[in-house]
Amino acid sequence: MPPSAPSPSRRVARILRTSLFAQVACALVLGILVGKLWPDVATDLQPLGDGFTRLIKTIISPLVFCVVVVGIAKAGDLKAFGRIGLKALIWFEVASTLALLIGLLAANIVQPGSGMNVDPSTLDTSAVDAKTGGGSLPTTTEFIVNALPTSFVGAFAENSLLQVLILACLVGAALLHLGHTKVPKVLPAIEQAQEIIFAIVGFVMRLAPIAVFGAMAVLIGNYGLGVIETYGKLIALCYAAAALFVALLGVALRLVTGLSLWKFLRYIREEMLLALGTASTESVMPRVMLKLRKAGARDDAVGLVLPTGYSFNLDGASLYLSIGTLFIAQAVGVDLSLGQQVTVILVLMLTSKGMAGIPGSAFLALSATASSLGAIPAGAVALLLGVDRIMDSMRVVTNLLGNCVAVFAVSRWEGALDLERARKVLDGEAVADLEEETDGEAEVAPAGAEEPARTPAAVPAQLTKESAGESS
């Protein structure tokens, strides 16, 4: 007698128990309901999202360090690593400039701020100062100097990804220089530390639905849904421009690698939903790194391109800043000439590179742009205070997708992408090696699972040469 099919309630219960996507989706809906029905209660749920983000941030720096060091050591070629970095920067500049141009074009066509006739003197600029904490964006020189670590421990303590990347490059280069015979235990220790960190990621990710619930409840509780009516035209334009940019990313990915962006979106659906709910790309960075590695991108490419993109490739922020600048100008009745709009592009190309990790960075960049033009009152950026948080979802999704596409494109450009493996993974086929579970059912890799790169054939040529000489 054939076994009876499980009841619908049991199937739903099983999906909720095993699927991270389903758990986060339910948490998202519940958070919106609680924020709408009980806004006073919702505002007290801030620690749920903040706590999760803090836990994730504690493991980002050591994870990036381990992945980059292991990637350099296994690749065995520091010059190739330098080429990856250079190609990544070229890709980032082209992508972010395209995002700025799309934003300006969209704002000129739709005119989201026209007809508002706002008097800048009536705006409360003190709220902008509170948002930015009285800070300022670093100059180009300051940005470069700040990327250099002042101490080994300090880079990790401050969670400065660029400083950690530089340290990781130095350590990886030193491992290649010294060879296996002088430091035989260092690389295996770093690999084991990497496995421990990924296991911690699995534990922390079980809290993701709670974090999404708290973050969405606070968002709706604080801002309500009325802001969507007030700024509906601007919000719709920003999201439409982001959709156009993502479509162009899909075309670029197909042309460069032959891969489908839609299939990739389906592959990282849990991470995308989590980024939407928490309005943070940092919350999903460890899992995205793991999935990119599983999808055939080489360790050194993932370890360098993705973290660097968090500082140099803020495509969603670039879209928002260009649209926001023209929205403010239109709202206060300032008609920007073509030359002034070119100035907007040039200023934002610089200011958008130093935004990562700075409180209120979008408002600092907008204020700097307004000041450079001289035609827009700097205090007019207060117009965007009410809608800024609503834009976070657009920014984080566009930023995340832009950086993931950059990893695939640069990896393909450098010959560091296993296309056959990538197609199989994105098509949902099982892959024998790299056994990390990334579908939400099990977050920790099996104890005996190893990557193919750990086989003797993957040891850098310099290391094998020295060990061979020693054995002879």
Side-chain angles (χ1 to χ4, degrees), residues 320-321 324-325 328 348 361-371 381 384:
Y320 171 64
L321 290 174
T325 301
I328 293 169
L348 290 178
S361 56
F363 289 95
L364 291 172
L366 287 168
S367 297
T369 306
S371 299
V381 299
L384 292 174

Side-chain angles (χ1 to χ4, degrees), residues 5 19 23 36 69 184 205 228 240-241 245 253 276 292 294 304 307 348 373 379 386 396 406 417 450 459 461 470 472:
S19 172
Q23 294 169 6
K36 178 64 176 175
V69 171
M205 287 301 294
I228 298 178
F245 182 79
L253 182 64
L276 275 169
L292 287 169
K294 183 179 179 182
L304 180 62
L348 290 178
L373 291 173
V396 298
L417 177 64
E450 292 190 351
V459 178
E470 184 184 41
S472 61

Side-chain angles (χ1 to χ4, degrees), residues 110-152:
V110 178
Q111 300 278 321
S114 61
M116 294 185 69
N117 301 318
V118 175
D119 182 359
S121 63
T122 63
L123 298 173
D124 181 14
T125 58
S126 62
V128 177
D129 294 332
K131 183 84 172 179
T132 60
S136 62
L137 290 176
T139 63
T140 303
T141 303
E142 290 172 340
F143 179 73
I144 295 173
V145 171
N146 291 339
L148 302 176
T150 55
S151 73
F152 203 101

Side-chain angles (χ1 to χ4, degrees), residues 102-450:
I102 290 175
L104 281 184
L105 181 63
N108 276 297
I109 293 174
V110 178
Q111 300 278 321
S114 61
M116 294 185 69
N117 301 318
V118 175
D119 182 359
S121 63
T122 63
L123 298 173
D124 181 14
T125 58
S126 62
V128 177
D129 294 332
K131 183 84 172 179
T132 60
S136 62
L137 290 176
T139 63
T140 303
T141 303
E142 290 172 340
F143 179 73
I144 295 173
V145 171
N146 291 339
L148 302 176
T150 55
S151 73
F152 203 101
V153 176
F156 290 89
E158 296 172 6
N159 239 356
S160 176
L161 282 185
L162 290 181
Q163 293 184 11
V164 170
L165 275 173
I166 291 175
L167 289 173
C169 292
L170 292 173
V171 172
L175 284 175
L176 288 178
H177 176 70
L178 293 173
H180 179 68
T181 55
K182 292 186 178 180
V183 284
K185 297 181 179 179
V186 174
L187 184 58
I190 294 176
E191 286 185 291
Q192 292 168 21
Q194 180 178 272
E195 293 299 323
I196 292 173
I197 294 169
F198 275 125
I200 295 173
V201 171
F203 299 148
V204 175
M205 287 301 294
R206 298 183 187 279
L207 303 175
I210 299 174
V212 170
F213 168 74
M216 287 306 300
V218 171
L219 171 63
I220 302 301
N222 282 337
Y223 298 97
L225 298 176
V227 69
I228 298 178
E229 299 176 6
T230 306
Y231 291 92
K233 193 175 181 180
L234 175 63
I235 295 171
L237 177 62
C238 285
Y239 277 82
L244 173 61
F245 182 79
V246 168
L248 292 177
L249 284 178
V251 173
L253 182 64
R254 175 71 73 178
L255 292 175
V256 175
T257 68
L259 301 176
S260 166
L261 184 61
W262 173 252
K263 290 182 179 179
F264 179 72
L265 274 168
R266 187 177 60 191
Y267 174 58
I268 62 164
R269 59 187 181 277
E270 293 96 347
E271 290 72 28
M272 293 300 295
L273 199 58
L274 177 57
L276 275 169
T278 59
S280 169
T281 51
E282 286 185 334
S283 64
V284 297
M285 182 178 174
R287 287 258 303 189
V288 170
M289 289 182 73
L290 179 64
K291 285 198 166 183
L292 287 169
R293 291 169 65 230
K294 183 179 179 182
R298 209 167 66 194
D299 281 8
D300 52 347
V302 174
L304 180 62
V305 178
L306 190 65
T308 307
Y310 274 59
S311 295
F312 289 93
N313 194 38
L314 303 175
D315 298 327
S318 297
L319 273 171
Y320 171 64
L321 290 174
S322 55
I323 293 175
T325 301
L326 262 67
F327 168 79
I328 293 169
Q330 293 161 4
V332 298
V334 174
D335 185 19
L336 297 180
S337 66
L338 179 60
Q340 288 173 316
Q341 293 192 33
V342 171
T343 303
V344 169
I345 292 285
L346 296 176
V347 172
L348 290 178
M349 283 174 64
L350 294 175
T351 56
S352 62
K353 299 298 183 291
M355 288 174 55
I358 299 176
S361 56
F363 289 95
L364 291 172
L366 287 168
S367 297
T369 306
S371 299
S372 66
L373 291 173
I376 305 174
V381 299
L383 278 171
L384 292 174
L385 278 170
V387 75
D388 184 68
R389 180 61 180 84
I390 303 294
M391 298 298 187
D392 276 346
S393 297
M394 178 275 292
R395 289 194 295 247
V396 298
V397 168
T398 311
N399 290 344
L400 181 59
L401 281 177
N403 287 324
C404 289
V405 170
V407 171
F408 280 123
V410 174
S411 298
R412 174 64 171 164
W413 196 0
E414 182 57 28
L417 177 64
D418 186 341
L419 271 178
E420 182 181 354
R421 180 189 181 90
R423 291 192 184 99
K424 287 182 178 180
V425 170
L426 297 188
D427 287 338
E429 298 179 24
V431 180
D433 53 355
L434 198 59
E435 292 290 339
E436 292 95 341
E437 295 289 341
T438 55
D439 58 0
E441 297 184 6
E443 305 293 340
V444 183
E450 292 190 351

